[in-house]
Amino acid sequence: DAGVTQSPTHLIKTRGQHVTLRCSPISGHKSVSWYQQVLGQGPQFIFQYYEKEERGRGNFPDRFSARQFPNYSSELNVNALLLGDSALYLCASGSFSSVIQYFGAGTRLSVL
Amino acid sequence: KQEVTQIPAALSVPEGENLVLNCSFTDSAIYNLQWFRQDPGKGLTSLLLIQSSQREQTSGRLNASLDKSSGRSTLYIAASQPGDSATYLCAVNAGGTSYGKLTFGQGTILTVHP
């Protein structure tokens, strides 16, 4: 079975631009969570979606938004990019029966 | 607000040593605790998960313990190898309506030299 897949793997943007990151969960998983990991720190929780509804939001500005589609894949959108948005963005999927959170390889975003 | 702290921040050991990584958390009302490994620039690989009702979990040379009442977990690595070099992260899951929201520590950077 395929693991959690994220695209693209790397992305370079300039300040003020918009970016969309994509995540496909493990087959059968209905929960998708997004994390931001700045270099040298642990991942910080951004959003969780379950059954296409937002179930949790971390301390991030409204420039960050997300959605989950009927096939349980998800998009993370960031508007008006700032230099400080440069980070590794991680997606995790899970289910209430498996309890373990499985992570994708991440998308490395660089904002210039 | 849950806070997770990992000690030490970095550790360098010779090959073959047994070592212990520490993780502490401020709110003992957790659903489970998970240890991850992260190689440079890569995603997270789950190593061990301990449910709140469990005291320890073992996988090969790895053993993780959990003392929920004191807010502590340790990851024990036996007979360390250069391939164990990576950043190790612990994360707690509050469960319930917060299921899927993991709170991470800053990580311990482990270097095992031949």
Side-chain angles (χ1 to χ4, degrees), chain B residues 35-40 42-48 61-62 75 81-90 110:
Chain B
W35 281 94
F36 294 90
R37 168 186 172 135
Q38 185 174 33
D39 293 294
K42 304 294 185 182
L44 308 182
T45 300
S46 180
L47 298 173
L48 289 166
R61 294 183 293 109
L62 305 179
L75 178 66
Q81 303 170 0
D84 294 331
S85 298
T87 296
Y88 290 80
L89 294 154
C90 73
L110 173 64

Side-chain angles (χ1 to χ4, degrees), chain A residues 31 33 35 37 40-45 48 55 57 88 90 94-96 98-106 108, chain B residues 31-32 34 36 38 40-46 49 51 89 93 96-107:
Chain A
S31 170
S33 299
Y35 294 82
Q37 186 178 25
Q41 297 184 17
Q44 297 290 316
F45 173 76
Q48 187 212 356
R55 296 300 181 98
R57 183 185 183 114
L88 180 66
L90 296 163
S95 69
F96 285 97
S98 78
V99 301
I100 294 176
Q101 295 286 303
Y102 296 91
F103 281 78
R108 171 73 61 187
Chain B
Y31 182 63
N32 60 48
Q34 206 165 343
F36 294 90
Q38 185 174 33
K42 304 294 185 182
L44 308 182
T45 300
S46 180
L49 180 141
Q51 296 280 46
L89 294 154
N93 185 343
T97 56
S98 294
Y99 179 85
K101 175 186 176 183
L102 299 181
T103 303
F104 284 85
Q106 301 278 70

Side-chain angles (χ1 to χ4, degrees), chain A residues 3 11 17 47 51 60-61 69 85 89-90 92 100-101:
Chain A
L11 206 50
Q17 285 189 313
F47 284 110
E51 288 281 18
F60 280 82
F69 299 100
D85 295 331
Y89 289 84
L90 296 163
I100 294 176
Q101 295 286 303

